[in-house]
Amino acid sequence: GNSVTQMEGPVTLSEEAFLTINCTYTATGYPSLFWYVQYPGEGLQLLLKATKADDKGSNKGFEATYRKETTSFHLEKGSVQVSDSAVYFCALITQAGTALIFGKGTTLSVSS
Amino acid sequence: EAGVTQFPSHSVIEKGQTVTLRCDPISGHDNLYWYRRVMGKEIKFLLHFVKESKQDESGMPNNRFLAERTGGTYSTLKVQPAELEDSGVYFCASSPLGVRQYFGPGTRLTVT
């Protein structure tokens, strides 16, 4: 079946460190891929997305590239800030579906 | 533009009691989704409305859960009777046509 696997946290970094959160997926066809972020006390927000192979989604300094050959959509940021502390969720929607399929979420804590 | 709102933000009930969660989508969004995150696990899809019709309810765990969307505006999710395993965060999302879903802040349900 369709699924998303992302690295388990928590991930603890110092400010200005490089961030990678790994995400791989299993899905038939060509799903659309997403990263959502949940800041403390808030709802899920779309961070970035990619809808076809080799697309790069980017927002707020975060990037992720849709890699069909490795079925991956790893999230990266070159220099994290304390304000990036949140829970990050990788997700997909299949071509035939409308419901998001999520990974378990990765908690990121950034200290100054 | 107001975002997706959910009420209550937190509910604590005893096993066997009934709880009703409410979601108000963004005005004009025909699509409304319910998801649930049980502690430490993935956010999982429960069901999808298009206007007042249930498009997909394949994620509803059992018949103790009843979702309605009368008039195609707000939606309610009733759990009756609640069990311990129903504890978690219930998210609502809405979308117009297209892929992007806008999430509410969630309702944290604790069943004791």
Side-chain angles (χ1 to χ4, degrees), chain A residues 3-112:
Chain A
S3 65
V4 174
T5 302
Q6 63 181 103
M7 61 187 287
E8 306 247 349
V11 174
T12 303
L13 295 174
S14 298
E15 206 165 24
E16 298 183 3
F18 184 85
L19 168 71
T20 299
I21 301 178
N22 290 335
C23 172
T24 57
Y25 68 89
T26 300
T28 53
Y30 293 85
S32 294
L33 303 175
F34 305 82
W35 278 99
Y36 277 84
V37 59
Q38 185 179 24
Y39 298 104
E42 298 184 16
L44 291 163
Q45 300 175 25
L46 179 64
L47 181 59
L48 52 85
K49 68 176 183 180
T51 57
K52 60 183 187 296
D54 299 324
D55 266 2
K56 177 186 284 188
S58 61
N59 186 24
K60 299 182 180 180
F62 291 89
E63 293 182 340
T65 301
Y66 189 143
R67 301 287 188 199
K68 182 68 175 174
E69 63 276 13
T70 54
T71 62
S72 65
F73 193 54
H74 304 320
L75 182 69
E76 296 183 335
K77 186 174 186 181
S79 176
V80 293
Q81 305 301 310
V82 173
S83 57
D84 294 326
S85 298
V87 183
Y88 292 80
F89 295 91
C90 186
L92 67 83
I93 290 180
T94 64
Q95 287 176 290
T98 59
L100 285 159
I101 298 168
F102 286 91
K104 288 188 177 182
T106 302
T107 300
L108 171 65
S109 295
V110 181
S111 58
S112 57

Side-chain angles (χ1 to χ4, degrees), chain B:
Chain B
E1 177 185 85
V4 177
T5 58
Q6 293 186 244
F7 182 83
S9 58
H10 192 187
S11 179
V12 181
I13 60 171
E14 293 184 353
K15 176 182 171 180
Q17 290 186 321
T18 297
V19 64
T20 300
L21 314 181
R22 174 170 169 147
C23 168
D24 286 77
I26 294 171
S27 177
H29 283 194
D30 287 342
N31 294 279
L32 187 149
Y33 307 81
W34 284 98
Y35 294 85
R36 175 175 74 169
R37 187 186 191 202
V38 173
M39 180 68 72
K41 303 219 170 165
E42 300 90 341
I43 299 171
K44 290 206 167 177
F45 166 77
L46 296 178
L47 86 159
H48 170 208
F49 285 98
V50 177
K51 297 185 180 179
E52 66 274 11
S53 299
K54 292 177 185 174
Q55 187 75 14
D56 180 358
E57 52 183 330
S58 61
M60 294 287 265
N62 52 60
N63 60 9
R64 295 185 294 102
F65 289 75
L66 175 64
E68 295 180 324
R69 192 182 182 197
T70 307
T73 55
Y74 71 91
S75 175
T76 58
L77 180 64
K78 180 189 288 188
V79 185
Q80 178 181 33
E83 298 289 346
L84 297 178
E85 63 264 25
D86 300 332
S87 295
V89 180
Y90 290 76
F91 292 102
C92 175
S94 71
S95 73
L97 292 175
V99 171
R100 179 171 181 171
Q101 296 180 22
Y102 298 79
F103 280 78
T107 293
R108 181 174 296 277
L109 175 63
T110 303
V111 183
T112 63

